[in-house]
Amino acid sequence: MSFILNHCVAISMIFVLIFFVSIAFKKRISALLVSLITLSFGLFLIFYASTEIRGFEAIDVQIKGLIIIGEGSILLVITSIFIVAQELKKKTL
């Protein structure tokens, strides 16, 4: 568990890279899934820090969790825009 807590920002960046690769290959479902996984990873960090960790380290992990939740929300908005743009493109053709 300490590996995940020490490298949580790097793990979220890997999620972002997977997200952009799925956008590049036009895989809508995988992009949506990765953005939801990023959101749930941030929620996991917040809940784990509030129940298992004490002191200033808990605050650090909670702040990282909030940042990852914000990142996942941005990815979710980008996914929504991407899906709408693809559907509009299909309707015009």
Side-chain angles (χ1 to χ4, degrees):
M1 194 53 154
S2 65
F3 177 80
I4 292 174
L5 294 176
N6 291 334
H7 298 84
C8 62
V9 175
I11 292 170
S12 71
M13 289 300 136
I14 290 172
F15 288 151
V16 170
L17 289 175
I18 293 171
F19 173 79
F20 284 120
V21 167
S22 63
I23 290 282
F25 288 121
K26 299 184 179 179
K27 303 292 184 184
R28 297 185 295 186
I29 300 299
S30 61
L32 186 63
L33 185 66
V34 168
S35 62
L36 291 175
I37 287 172
T38 306
L39 274 172
S40 62
F41 182 64
L43 285 172
F44 163 74
L45 287 176
I46 287 177
F47 290 140
Y48 183 78
S50 60
T51 59
E52 297 294 323
I53 304 173
R54 300 286 177 239
F56 289 114
E57 187 178 344
I59 296 171
D60 179 47
V61 174
Q62 287 176 344
I63 290 173
K64 288 178 183 177
L66 285 173
I67 291 170
I68 294 171
I69 286 174
E71 182 180 303
S73 299
I74 291 170
L75 293 179
L76 196 59
V77 168
I78 292 172
T79 304
S80 301
I81 292 170
F82 175 68
I83 290 173
V84 167
Q86 275 190 341
E87 290 298 321
L88 286 174
K89 192 183 294 184
K90 282 182 184 179
K91 282 186 179 181
T92 59
L93 294 178

